[in-house]
Amino acid sequence: MSDCIFCKIVAGAIPSRKVYEDEHLYAFHDIQPAAPVHILIIPKAHVASLADCNQSHADDLGRLLLSAPKIAKELGLDDGFRTIINTGKGGGQEVFHIHAHVLGGAKLRPLVDSVASA
Ligand code: 5GP
Ligand code: ZN
């Protein structure tokens, strides 16, 4: 078994609150939610980060992004949601199995404005 905690979650070796699963993807509630709804979507196949992806990951990346609005809708995020992919330590990535955060359920602070004025 890989040391990766998200691979362990996919394998069921670490419990998670699953919201979606298919052959390629797994989605679950973040353990430390930063918004009323905070989901992580991951490909089942391990790749560390967006910076480690190449053309062979294009299908999984497409599936991951296209699943976000469907999962958001299932969770009642009718007003919109935010999708974040942190990449590398400098990008704030802490778990090195690529994942998209899906956040919503409240009015979110304008992220780009706060970065630009910092
Ligand atoms: P990153 O900073 O890498 O973009 O985000 C990693 C996210 O994974 C964090 O929001 C953190 O709360 C979440 N996380 C870390 N360990 C676990 C875990 O064991 N279970 C769940 N459900 N979420 C986790
Ligand atoms: Zn992994």
Side-chain angles (χ1 to χ4, degrees), residues 5-6 9 14-16 28-32 38 40 86 92-95 99 101:
I5 58 171
F6 285 179
I9 282 176
I14 293 178
S16 65
F28 54 104
H29 289 273
D30 195 291
I31 205 165
Q32 276 194 298
H38 186 170
L40 302 173
N86 294 323
Q93 186 175 3
E94 291 180 349
V95 176
H99 50 280
H101 298 254

Side-chain angles (χ1 to χ4, degrees), residues 3 11 15 29 39 68 79 88 106 118:
D3 265 352
H29 289 273
I39 304 300
D79 209 26

Side-chain angles (χ1 to χ4, degrees), residues 2 4-8 44-47 96-98:
S2 143
C4 169
I5 58 171
F6 285 179
C7 282
K8 287 182 178 167
K44 287 185 171 178
H46 180 93
V47 59
F96 283 80
H97 178 132
I98 193 171

Side-chain angles (χ1 to χ4, degrees), residues 70-81:
K70 293 181 189 161
I71 291 169
K73 191 172 180 193
E74 295 252 316
L75 294 170
L77 301 179
D78 299 321
D79 209 26
F81 59 91

